[in-house]
Amino acid sequence: GNYLALIVSGGHPSFYKVEDYVFEEIGMTRDDAAGEAFDKVGRVMGLPYPGGAAMDRLAAEGFKRDDYKAIRFPSPAMNDGTLEFSFSGLKTAVINHLHKLTQQLRLESGADLPQSIKEDVAAAFTKVSVDGIVSKLREAIAEYHPTHVVLAGGVAANSHLRRGVEALCRGLQVNLCVPSLKLCGDNGAMIAAQAYYEYMEGKTDIMTNAKGRFGIHGGQYIPEVLMNAVNELEEAYNYYKNDPEF
């Protein structure tokens, strides 16, 4: 199919123009990835690794108040007409802000910041991150006019990003496809999907030469892990097949 893909993860954000499952990268980060920034900020805040889920919950609490609006962080969206990002400056600004708060409150090294402050910082950080990503997605849609947008990657599990992208696509009347939460992180379905198209093109070397235990399918040797992945892909397909936009 033909669509615009937005991947937001520990190694991205990136935009891809997809035509018949040929991927062309049309936008990317120039330095840190979104997930990387979330994890590094989360570590300074004392959150468990990876920090995405905990940051999501903290931000949700912060959004219930207006205090976070007084915190200003730089947007990760490049303001130069490209579909590119820079999360390095944002990450540094948030970490510096946290260190400054620690000094202002005269906390001992390693001491925890008050919960309300963590929530406000998480909300401000999440807001500017989501706004930056959504603004670039708006530009990409305006430039490439896709009928479908796919949001994927580990950070696609972030509830605030999902809502922001959903609102944009709904407003622009563009169909949005988002995997379920359990399929946002690394999973067998994504491997099986890629393997399917490789196999249909006759590229079977990666299957027949793989090491480890094997299963037999249709006369071809296929790694057991791939067979498990195919089952996950089938489960994902069954989940979405009744969706008229799938």
Side-chain angles (χ1 to χ4, degrees):
N2 301 338
Y3 56 90
L4 177 69
L6 168 59
I7 314 298
V8 192
S9 70
H12 304 82
S14 292
F15 286 107
Y16 292 90
K17 184 175 71 169
V18 184
E19 294 182 359
D20 295 325
Y21 292 93
V22 175
F23 296 78
E24 178 188 353
E25 189 173 44
I26 57 175
M28 68 206 78
T29 181
R30 295 181 179 177
D31 38 60
D32 288 358
E36 185 181 3
F38 271 77
D39 288 338
K40 288 180 177 177
V41 168
R43 186 175 63 203
V44 175
M45 294 175 70
L47 303 183
Y49 179 87
M55 188 75 72
D56 194 323
R57 291 191 293 270
L58 280 176
E61 293 302 313
F63 286 136
K64 294 177 181 178
R65 304 182 298 270
D66 287 336
D67 296 351
Y68 77 92
K69 295 179 181 178
I71 305 173
R72 301 293 181 189
F73 293 134
S75 173
M78 300 301 298
N79 189 24
D80 60 359
T82 67
L83 295 175
E84 296 186 357
F85 300 90
S86 172
F87 275 86
S88 179
L90 171 58
K91 174 203 68 179
T92 300
V94 179
I95 291 175
N96 287 344
H97 182 74
L98 290 167
H99 288 158
K100 184 179 177 182
L101 289 171
T102 299
Q103 293 170 351
Q104 288 175 343
L105 296 172
R106 298 183 178 179
L107 298 176
E108 294 182 9
S109 178
D112 235 9
L113 285 165
Q115 186 73 5
S116 61
I117 289 181
K118 285 185 179 181
E119 292 168 355
D120 292 341
V121 172
F125 172 48
T126 298
K127 179 76 163 58
V128 76
S129 298
V130 170
D131 285 354
I133 293 169
V134 170
S135 72
K136 284 298 174 188
L137 177 57
R138 181 186 295 276
E139 292 177 23
I141 291 172
E143 183 173 348
Y144 290 95
H145 309 289
T147 58
H148 289 73
V149 165
V150 171
L151 172 65
V155 183
N158 183 283
S159 65
H160 312 290
L161 178 61
R162 289 169 87 94
R163 279 197 296 272
V165 171
E166 285 168 359
L168 175 68
C169 290
R170 187 167 55 248
L172 297 177
Q173 297 183 318
V174 175
N175 297 305
L176 174 63
C177 300
V178 188
S180 61
L181 293 180
K182 75 173 185 176
L183 292 175
C184 285
D186 293 340
N187 63 81
M190 65 173 75
I191 305 300
Q194 178 65 27
Y196 171 80
Y197 289 103
E198 296 278 351
Y199 182 79
M200 294 303 289
E201 290 185 6
K203 300 176 182 177
T204 58
D205 287 351
I206 58 170
M207 301 178 189
T208 56
N209 294 338
K211 296 179 181 179
R213 291 187 298 165
F214 296 90
I216 299 178
H217 180 72
Q220 292 286 340
Y221 287 98
I222 300 180
E224 183 176 323
V225 66
L226 180 56
M227 294 186 72
N228 292 337
V230 169
N231 291 333
E232 286 200 42
L233 180 60
E234 184 176 22
E235 180 182 341
Y237 170 75
N238 288 332
Y239 180 84
Y240 281 106
K241 69 179 181 181
N242 295 322
D243 183 345
E245 304 299 345
F246 179 65

